[in-house]
Amino acid sequence: MAKGDQRRRDDHPTKMQPFTWLPKLVQVGLALVVCTYFMVRVGYREIPLERDEGTYIYMGARILEGAIPYVDLLEIKPVGLSYSYAALYALSGGDLGIIHIWMSLFRVLSALLLFGLARHWLGGGPALVAVVIFEALSMTAHASGFTVQAEHLV
């Protein structure tokens, strides 16, 4: 037997590496958390508009009609926010339920970004915990999680 053909006992292909299943478990947990969040949020899509939410959506609709922020529309928020709501309004065709769904998708993307950053800095387990906390807080009434707020876009 040639020297290159020999294997050490440690390299046996059937030897199980410790905790190789952990990254898969984190991925399954992430998928479960994000899908559960999205399904719960879809149930909130028909709730009435909150005061700020209605203002932002109205401003977005007016911008699509040609209004100019700070000239025709008075609001202290950054101008990019008005254009973001105009894009949401255009993508949804003015349907408020679809606007809520778009914002839910935006929050899911935010959670995935949070997971990627936290995994890079802290590892998979803490990243999953961060996403669970983020998604839970994104649904609480105390954090205006059931509405489309400026804080969710900024």
Side-chain angles (χ1 to χ4, degrees), residues 60-61 63-64 80-93 99 102:
I63 286 173
L64 292 174
L81 187 63
S82 300
Y83 285 102
S84 298
Y85 277 92
L88 275 174
Y89 193 84
L91 286 171
S92 68
I99 290 174
W102 275 111

Side-chain angles (χ1 to χ4, degrees), residues 15-94:
K15 184 176 179 185
M16 186 168 181
Q17 298 295 322
F19 302 111
T20 56
W21 49 269
L22 195 55
K24 296 287 186 209
L25 183 64
V26 169
Q27 290 172 353
V28 168
L30 176 65
L32 184 65
V33 168
V34 167
C35 289
T36 301
Y37 168 80
F38 186 73
M39 295 310 293
V40 168
R41 290 291 305 160
V42 167
Y44 288 135
R45 72 185 177 279
E46 297 300 329
I47 63 171
L49 293 178
E50 192 262 341
R51 177 185 50 88
D52 287 344
E53 185 179 24
T55 301
Y56 303 140
I57 292 171
Y58 173 74
M59 288 178 58
R62 291 285 319 272
I63 286 173
L64 292 174
E65 295 169 356
I68 300 170
Y70 305 125
V71 174
D72 300 321
L73 304 168
L74 301 177
E75 177 62 44
I76 61 171
K77 301 285 188 197
V79 70
L81 187 63
S82 300
Y83 285 102
S84 298
Y85 277 92
L88 275 174
Y89 193 84
L91 286 171
S92 68

